[in-house]
Amino acid sequence: MASEEELFANIDALLAEEPQLPPPAERARLREAAGITQARLATALKTSTQTVKNYENGRSEPKEPRLSAYQRLLNGWAAKYPAHGAPAVAPAPAPAPQPEPVAEAFTGPAAPEAPAVVEAPAAPEPERPAARPAAPTSRRPAKKRAAPAADSRFPHGPLAVLDGDGSAYGTGGIVLDCPATTVPELVEWTLRESGLGAAKLNRYGKDSDPLIVLTAAAAVKLGLPERLEGHEQRRSLRLPEDHPVVKQVAKAKWQLTQRGFGPWARIYRKVQGRERQCVQLALLSWDALDERSWPGVAEMEPADVARVLGIYAQRVITPRGSTAVSGLELMTALRPPTKAVQDPETGNWVSGYNAGSLGTEPMDPAPPEATAEHPVVVNSGWTGGFLNEEAYQWVRSVDLLSDEECTLPYAVGLDLNTAFLAAAARLVVGLSAPDHFHAPKFNPKIPGSWLVDLSHIELDPRLPSPFTPDGTRPTGPAWYQTHTVAYAQELGYNVAPLEAYLRRETGAYLDPWHDRLKNAYVDTLADLGVTKDLDDRAFLAAMERHKDVDPAMAAVLAAIKATVKGGIGKLRERPQGKKYKEGERWPALQRPTWRPDIRAAVISKARINMHRKLRNMATMTGLYPLAVLSDCVVYPSPGDSPLAFLPYAASGKPQPGGFRLGPTPGLAKLEGVQSMLWAVDLMEQGYNPARHIKGGDAVLDEGE
């Protein structure tokens, strides 16, 4: 006979078991009998409509705490709507729900759309899942643009963050139940059931592949190491080919890209017809999200990580690697290289060049536009010099400081918002290969590289030369990008090029890239309380506190800025790795977007824009800068604010032509304030005050 202790142990074991739900078909019958839609039930359970569908067709089961809540609801409905002795199935007129063709809905062009999926976001549900403490949500003071209509093929947004308990946190606060226990199962679930992905940004482009971000716990659950250790650079780390997970992927007939299974892994099968099968994974504990570009994001809760990346995906692009990689990919997504054209002879639709894009084939630069290790230079024995179109790194000589300047109490730093992005606006660049010309007549409308002597141009030594990054006067003929030579002409000097490499086909390739990133930057600043309608005093106050308003949105803003500079830098990506030898081609050269001439055009225009403002400021105010570093300039000031020295009209409005405060690209914000004695001391030691004006060891990113 069993003892009392054994009986109680058996009862405790029964109590510990998870609640048992009725069969899937009965769940659907009870909901329909109560007159509740799947979307409304999803709102009550703080999940998605698709997840409720999965519960009712047996594809997945809920987990705690949602499991107990769902059972309580079903028990209540069962008491109200008994089956009257009939089997627990749906009534005859409504046959038992069959698994819906979810795979076709996400991969095929003619698949039926999932009904009622868009109802859930419209419900007044909180932005966070109930299981997580909600972070404060910012409210934009300014009027928002109308949100674009959701794509019914991707009802759950572009990405999800998977935790170790199988919860996949998506955008808008939804939580999906992911049953996968291996990487191949995760890929299948993502493509067949998750409803994740994003529509193409251009009619001729491609949809964005779904992104699954793995927490450390999720990585371990899937058989991956919690951290990826090694002595190489982080970006080159990857799992060895004999790792069990890599073998699982291959056995399941999936493939990895050449970069292998690293912090950003792309898993795919070759396209069959129009069907694309590709999933991207990002591993948080493998440093997929660089702290410099995504400050604090890797340490956030999964729901908050999903919010940050989801907003970035909506406003910029679904992340595809580092922010630099995403910036470059955004160019191609907005200007696809090909489009469908009809063959006049056969009438068939074939792939053709998309006008205004960079095409599909990589293009070698002209020798002066290349880098010293490039095959074009090494194989030709080129010794004619190179373009040196870089951002400013200039400090005025202390000998040129006046007594009046030295007695001013403050040094105030101004930083131009996304100066490279502002320079990309309406920037005409070359689209075809360069042609070589001897003694050409200068034309400011033709993008290219010009060999010209600008050493005869005499300018105020209290300003940096506009023709060199270090601000020194040129000493003889040198290669310049079109904008630099055009500025010499604008200053009233004669220019007589000796040689040039010019491009016949041109276009404003970066315009859509500029427009999308500008909107993303301005909208995100507005979410942080920095709007266009603020006067200068209110703008400075809003900028002082904007990072504290919402850390998640502040991280989005940092990522957008990193996308701009990193994307421009990627246009001239240098070889990496100790094994590289000069003259060898490196992987970046295989991209049509390896275009150092376009990078030079952006930086040249940004530097010229800076000098034009410096010159106008000297004319309007008599003030000259102490130092310039990239997009930051330091001025001596009678007060501890830019308001003390920026030029204003009698009406109180900023004078055009000089530096102006504001939240849009090209306008300025306060970078930092120090004493004038501090600035002069740094200058005497040969340091650049603009590099340190913010305080601490702040170093500005100069675009590479």
Side-chain angles (χ1 to χ4, degrees):
M1 186 172 179
S3 67
E4 180 181 309
E5 189 174 335
E6 289 174 323
L7 289 172
F8 273 93
N10 291 340
I11 294 301
D12 289 341
L14 289 174
L15 290 172
E17 286 188 9
E18 287 190 341
Q20 297 299 306
L21 299 176
E26 175 66 1
R27 304 169 199 174
R29 183 194 74 79
L30 291 171
R31 177 185 54 75
E32 290 168 356
I36 302 298
T37 65
Q38 290 175 325
R40 189 174 172 192
L41 175 55
T43 300
L45 291 174
K46 298 295 186 290
T47 187
S48 67
T49 306
Q50 184 61 48
T51 299
V52 171
K53 289 182 180 182
N54 291 344
Y55 295 165
E56 295 184 357
N57 59 34
R59 189 174 286 118
S60 67
E61 295 292 328
K63 297 178 180 179
E64 292 293 2
R66 195 172 290 118
L67 174 59
S68 294
Y70 191 31
Q71 187 199 40
R72 180 180 179 185
L73 178 65
L74 293 174
N75 288 344
W77 281 341
K80 284 186 178 182
Y81 313 108
H84 302 296
V89 295
Q98 298 296 315
E100 296 185 20
V102 178
E104 288 82 4
F106 303 138
T107 57
E113 296 181 357
V117 168
V118 295
E119 290 183 29
E125 61 180 359
E127 192 166 349
R128 299 286 186 281
R132 305 284 183 193
T137 303
S138 63
R139 296 287 179 222
R140 273 186 61 177
K143 185 177 178 181
K144 283 190 175 183
R145 291 183 179 85
D151 192 310
S152 60
R153 297 170 302 153
F154 311 115
H156 300 144
L159 55 89
V161 181
L162 181 63
D163 209 351
D165 63 357
S167 298
Y169 295 83
T171 57
I174 66 168
V175 184
L176 307 174
D177 291 316
C178 176
T181 57
T182 67
V183 169
E185 287 178 3
L186 175 60
V187 172
E188 294 283 356
W189 174 82
T190 303
L191 292 174
R192 310 289 175 231
E193 300 180 38
S194 70
L196 296 173
K200 56 194 176 187
L201 298 179
N202 181 286
R203 61 183 294 194
Y204 302 124
K206 299 175 182 177
D207 295 334
S208 285
D209 299 320
L211 168 64
I212 302 292
V213 181
L214 303 180
T215 64
V220 171
K221 179 182 176 181
L222 296 171
L224 297 163
E226 183 174 341
R227 294 201 63 82
L228 194 58
E229 303 293 349
H231 300 291
E232 301 175 68
Q233 290 183 341
R234 180 187 61 82
R235 72 180 95 186
S236 61
L237 290 176
R238 63 193 68 187
L239 289 180
E241 293 185 6
D242 60 353
H243 190 279
V245 171
V246 177
K247 289 182 176 180
Q248 283 178 358
V249 171
K251 186 177 180 181
K253 308 298 184 191
W254 291 99
Q255 293 179 273
L256 292 163
T257 58
Q258 287 186 344
R259 63 183 175 183
F261 207 123
W264 290 89
R266 194 175 289 275
I267 303 174
Y268 71 99
R269 283 181 181 146
K270 290 184 178 179
V271 176
Q272 297 178 350
R274 294 179 63 185
E275 183 176 324
R276 180 174 172 84
Q277 297 186 84
C278 186
V279 174
Q280 183 169 268
L281 304 181
L283 287 92
L284 292 177
S285 59
W286 292 10
D287 299 326
L289 299 181
D290 190 303
E291 175 66 20
R292 293 169 297 178
S293 302
W294 301 96
V297 178
E299 306 304 319
M300 292 180 179
E301 290 292 315
D304 295 311
V305 176
R307 179 181 174 225
V308 171
L309 297 182
I311 293 171
Y312 179 89
Q314 177 193 8
R315 296 182 178 179
V316 182
I317 193 172
T318 303
R320 303 184 182 187
S322 67
T323 47
V325 169
S326 297
L328 198 67
E329 292 281 335
L330 181 63
M331 295 179 195
T332 303
L334 294 168
R335 291 274 200 192
T338 61
K339 66 177 181 179
V341 296
Q342 196 166 24
D343 188 324
E345 295 182 3
T346 65
N348 296 330
W349 289 93
V350 296
S351 180
Y353 172 66
N354 182 26
S357 76
L358 298 182
T360 59
E361 297 300 319
M363 184 185 300
D364 278 340
E369 297 166 348
T371 56
E373 66 271 16
H374 195 285
V376 163
V377 174
V378 175
N379 296 339
S380 67
W382 173 262
T383 57
F386 299 97
L387 275 177
N388 189 24
E389 298 288 13
E390 301 294 339
Y392 269 133
Q393 295 192 52
W394 171 82
V395 181
R396 193 184 350 156
S397 169
V398 290
D399 296 335
L400 296 175
L401 293 176
S402 67
D403 293 339
E404 292 78 6
E405 288 176 319
C406 291
T407 58
L408 291 172
Y410 296 104
V412 176
L414 291 177
D415 179 66
L416 296 185
N417 302 320
T418 57
F420 290 168
L421 184 62
R426 299 180 298 281
L427 176 68
V428 177
V429 300
L431 301 178
S432 57
D435 291 320
H436 191 198
F437 297 88
H438 290 278
K441 182 180 179 182
F442 178 68
N443 186 333
K445 295 183 178 180
I446 300 178
S449 303
W450 309 77
L451 180 63
V452 60
D453 190 348
L454 302 178
S455 61
H456 62 285
I457 297 178
E458 190 86 38
L459 296 173
D460 193 315
R462 292 173 292 179
L463 292 177
S465 167
F467 310 125
T468 60
D470 63 3
T472 58
R473 183 172 176 172
T475 57
W479 289 96
Y480 301 99
Q481 202 275 335
T482 297
H483 280 90
T484 305
V485 184
Y487 189 59
Q489 203 173 57
E490 178 185 321
L491 293 174
Y493 293 91
N494 180 49
V495 294
L498 306 172
E499 290 181 61
Y501 285 90
L502 310 176
R503 288 168 168 80
R504 300 179 188 275
E505 295 178 31
T506 64
Y509 172 71
L510 292 174
D511 261 9
W513 186 81
H514 162 271
D515 294 347
R516 186 165 178 86
L517 285 168
K518 176 185 176 181
N519 289 336
Y521 180 81
V522 171
D523 288 352
T524 306
L525 261 183
D527 282 329
L528 292 166
V530 186
T531 56
K532 296 179 182 179
D533 57 345
L534 299 176
D535 63 29
D536 284 0
R537 196 172 298 278
F539 167 76
L540 290 172
M543 284 300 298
E544 190 172 352
R545 61 176 179 267
H546 79 283
K547 291 183 179 179
D548 300 323
V549 171
D550 184 344
M553 292 304 297
V556 175
L557 185 70
I560 291 169
K561 293 192 288 187
T563 301
V564 172
K565 286 194 172 181
I568 296 299
K570 275 279 184 182
L571 292 169
R572 197 190 67 165
E573 184 176 358
R574 305 293 285 267
Q576 298 159 6
K578 297 178 181 178
K579 297 180 181 178
Y580 176 77
K581 296 180 181 178
E582 280 197 358
E584 294 178 345
R585 298 191 74 84
W586 59 95
L589 300 189
Q590 301 308 116
R591 299 192 311 246
T593 48
W594 196 85
R595 290 293 302 272
D597 57 301
I598 296 180
R599 174 187 176 276
V602 172
I603 297 177
S604 166
K605 186 178 174 185
R607 196 182 67 247
I608 295 306
N609 286 347
M610 172 68 83
H611 191 274
R612 191 179 286 113
K613 286 182 171 65
L614 296 174
R615 192 163 52 90
N616 290 340
M617 283 286 291
T619 301
M620 290 186 286
T621 68
L623 287 177
Y624 291 85
L626 301 176
V628 184
L629 180 69
S630 188
D631 47 13
C632 177
V633 56
V634 177
Y635 273 102
S637 172
D640 61 354
S641 165
L643 301 176
F645 65 89
L646 289 179
Y648 291 88
S651 64
K653 291 185 177 181
Q655 290 276 25
F659 293 104
R660 295 176 55 189
L661 300 175
T664 54
L667 297 187
K669 59 182 180 289
L670 177 64
E671 179 71 6
V673 180
Q674 301 287 346
S675 72
M676 186 65 179
L677 286 175
W678 169 91
V680 173
D681 183 52
L682 281 187
M683 294 166 70
E684 287 177 339
Q685 296 180 62
Y687 296 120
N688 190 325
R691 187 179 295 277
H692 306 284
I693 190 76
K694 199 170 186 175
D697 291 320
V699 177
L700 298 183
D701 179 359
E702 288 142 34
E704 279 288 6

